[in-house]
Amino acid sequence: MSATFGGRSGLQGKLSRWLRGRRPKEAAGDGGREALLLAAAAAGLPLAPAAHPAPGYRCSCDRVGCPTPARHPVSFAWQTQSTTDRAQIERWARHQPDANFITATGMVHDVLDVPLEPGREALERLLGSGVEVGPVAESDDGRMLFFTLTRGTPEDEDEWWPCELDCHPETMDEHPGLRWHCRGSYVLVPPARLPGDEQRVRWVRGPEHALPDPLSLLEVLTDACSRYADAGHHGAAWPLRH
């Protein structure tokens, strides 16, 4: 259902080919879409239906000038609606064949969301160092999503790190470009379609990989994002999705 980098043997060659632009093959057709969604749910990712692209780079929702076309849930009750129930997800997938799906973060998993270029660099470093990396998705709008275990609600609120972190100037320099999707947030789950020709969100490493502790990835991700920012890529180029 998704590509993996497999064992350590031949790892660097596989990484190099992928970094030159090879993309994992996902199951084709509606059956493949449903299978990928069910695999995500089976891994514990709670899902809910989301909007999808409409002609003319528009959103399927009825909001005029939707600021996040095809990237948001269709229901305001998405947090309580999100589920891993197989029968419910099958019904949604079959009755809403064009719908994207979101996964609600902060319940079972969090998502570390970084710009694509430093994300690819960080993934290569993590795998090359033998760090256990969980599911990873990439989006054609220039983001890479690292799925991790949730931290829940830390006792010390100073440890709470919201997904809007990089929209605040006082924190932008410290951790540029990284968003921690946790309690009250969501991301699109592959396979998803974005406005534009063949713009998608896809798995790089599928949901069959165990969710890691987010802190095991954080140092490498923040270092890659910091060097990306130092090279002249500023936060204005990384708009928040929601």
Side-chain angles (χ1 to χ4, degrees), residues 184-224:
S185 188
Y186 59 84
V187 297
L188 287 176
V189 65
R193 295 180 298 117
L194 303 174
D197 295 333
E198 298 300 320
Q199 297 291 296
R200 298 186 181 275
V201 182
R202 65 185 64 80
W203 288 117
V204 174
R205 288 169 55 87
E208 69 274 11
H209 293 276
L211 294 167
D213 186 318
L215 299 184
S216 67
L217 311 182
L218 191 58
E219 182 178 355
V220 172
L221 287 171
T222 54
D223 178 65

Side-chain angles (χ1 to χ4, degrees), residues 130-156:
V131 175
E132 292 298 326
V133 180
V136 180
E138 69 175 29
S139 170
D140 286 334
D141 63 356
R143 304 296 296 188
M144 182 167 272
L145 309 175
F146 290 77
F147 289 69
T148 71
L149 290 169
T150 185
R151 295 192 68 207
T153 305
E155 293 181 5
D156 182 354

